[in-house]
């Protein structure tokens, strides 16, 4: 079985990353090949969020015990007592089963992942402008003005790492950006390195059938440029 591909998706808060990933899974994942890794976090649960669906919500003590057990593929200490981390066991299990895995992580986590899995593909989502980014954060009505200001400062720092990624998408039109995100995943599926195992039997049969036709005289070798 061909091992799945790891896709890193990063963006400053408010750029639309989570909405794009959700739409990708809802609209273009009929075969269930794509899996979204649900991160662990110590931040408080927000209204409407569901434990083990949006995040695995754990205490700081639990998170630090998982760090000590090397249970995370990557993790980051963000604000105060806020940690975020990606389960190593689940990601590796899914990839071994042939699933592509999406990681919704920041640039720090992306750096950690690249060191461990150089074959991972990374995508950075940019907002069309900082004015639009602030507007989205305000309209989300989840944070105070003080927190929004901190997020804006953090966004500028995050954006400076865009050139570390394989692909960069500007989310100025949601539907167009979604199609571009889907196209990146399709492109990776079409690369030879990602098809070698699945193509081996087909190539072997094509060569065998071709040789049989040649031996029967059903195909003129001149037409194939063989002589």
């Amino acid at each position: 079985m061909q091992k799945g591909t790891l896709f890193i998706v990063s963006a400053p808060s408010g750029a639309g990353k989570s909405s794009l990933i959700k739409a990708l899974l809802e609209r273009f994942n009929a075969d269930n090949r794509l899996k979204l890794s649900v991160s662990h976090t110590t931040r408080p649960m927000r209204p409407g969020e569901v434990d083990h669906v949006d995040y695995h919500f754990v205490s700081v003590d639990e998170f630090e015990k998982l760090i000590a057990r090397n249970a995370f593929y990557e993790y980051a200490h963000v604000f105060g007592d806020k940690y975020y981390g990606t389960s190593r066991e689940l990601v590796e299990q899914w990839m071994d089963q042939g699933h592509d895995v999406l990681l919704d992580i920041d640039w720090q986590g992306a750096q950690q992942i690249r060191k461990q899995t150089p074959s991972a593909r990374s995508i950075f989502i940019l907002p069309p402008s900082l004015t639009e980014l602030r507007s989205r954060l305000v309209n989300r009505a989840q944070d105070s003005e003080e927190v929004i200001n901190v997020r804006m400062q953090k966004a500028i720092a995050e954006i400076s790492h865009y050139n570390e990624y394989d692909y960069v998408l500007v989310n100025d039109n949601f539907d167009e950006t979604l199609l571009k995100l889907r196209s990146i995943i399709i492109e990776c599926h079409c690369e030879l390195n990602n098809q070698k195992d699945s193509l081996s039997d087909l190539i072997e049969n094509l060569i065998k059938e071709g040789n049989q036709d040649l031996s029967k005289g059903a195909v003129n070798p001149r037409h194939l440029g063989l002589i």
Side-chain angles (χ1 to χ4, degrees):
M1 178 183 292
Q2 180 67 42
K3 190 170 183 177
T5 301
L6 194 59
F7 291 95
I8 300 166
V9 187
S10 304
S13 180
K17 166 173 52 73
S18 297
S19 296
L20 286 165
I21 290 174
K22 181 180 179 182
L24 180 71
L25 293 170
E26 289 177 349
R27 300 185 200 178
F28 304 114
N29 195 33
D31 61 358
N32 200 35
R33 179 169 179 174
L34 272 174
K35 296 286 189 180
L36 174 61
S37 174
V38 178
S39 299
H40 286 66
T41 185
T42 60
R43 75 157 172 77
M45 192 183 304
R46 293 171 180 163
E49 290 184 329
V50 179
D51 192 17
H52 306 306
V53 175
D54 297 287
Y55 287 96
H56 299 294
F57 293 96
V58 297
S59 67
V60 173
D61 183 58
E62 288 177 280
F63 198 100
E64 291 177 344
K65 286 179 180 177
L66 289 168
I67 293 175
R69 285 168 38 199
N70 195 32
F72 292 120
Y73 211 159
E74 60 80 30
Y75 71 91
H77 188 187
V78 187
F79 298 121
D81 288 334
K82 291 181 182 177
Y83 284 93
Y84 292 86
T86 301
S87 168
R88 179 187 304 278
E89 181 180 1
L90 185 57
V91 169
E92 292 180 348
Q93 177 183 322
W94 275 340
M95 291 178 65
D96 287 342
Q97 292 172 351
H99 292 287
D100 294 327
V101 181
L102 295 168
L103 298 184
D104 179 351
I105 56 177
D106 65 10
W107 65 270
Q108 293 169 302
Q111 288 184 339
Q112 295 178 54
I113 294 295
R114 287 191 201 96
K115 290 178 182 178
Q116 300 174 71
T117 310
S119 61
R121 301 306 175 89
S122 55
I123 306 158
F124 196 89
I125 311 294
L126 286 171
S129 69
L130 288 179
T131 301
E132 174 63 21
L133 184 64
R134 176 177 284 277
S135 176
R136 292 177 185 178
L137 291 173
V138 170
N139 292 335
R140 210 163 61 175
Q142 293 179 341
D143 300 311
S144 65
E145 183 67 21
E146 181 182 359
V147 171
I148 288 174
N149 288 335
V150 171
R151 291 192 184 281
M152 290 299 297
Q153 292 173 6
K154 185 170 181 281
I156 295 170
E158 290 175 323
I159 288 170
S160 68
H161 292 272
Y162 79 94
N163 58 351
E164 298 173 10
Y165 289 73
D166 299 311
Y167 305 89
V168 177
L169 302 177
V170 179
N171 187 19
D172 53 353
N173 180 297
F174 184 86
D175 287 334
E176 287 183 8
T177 307
L178 176 60
L179 290 177
K180 289 176 182 177
L181 180 58
R182 184 195 181 203
S183 296
I184 290 169
I185 294 171
I186 292 173
E187 176 193 346
C188 292
H189 288 170
C190 294
E191 288 183 355
L192 180 58
N193 284 339
N194 289 331
Q195 296 190 80
K196 282 183 177 178
D197 291 345
S198 60
L199 288 177
S200 59
D201 288 343
L202 172 61
I203 297 299
E204 183 179 343
N205 288 334
L206 289 173
I207 293 173
K208 185 184 297 183
E209 290 173 10
N211 287 336
Q212 289 173 350
D213 286 342
L214 285 171
S215 65
K216 295 175 183 177
V219 177
N220 188 332
R222 293 183 184 279
H223 295 163
L224 300 178
L226 299 178
I227 57 175

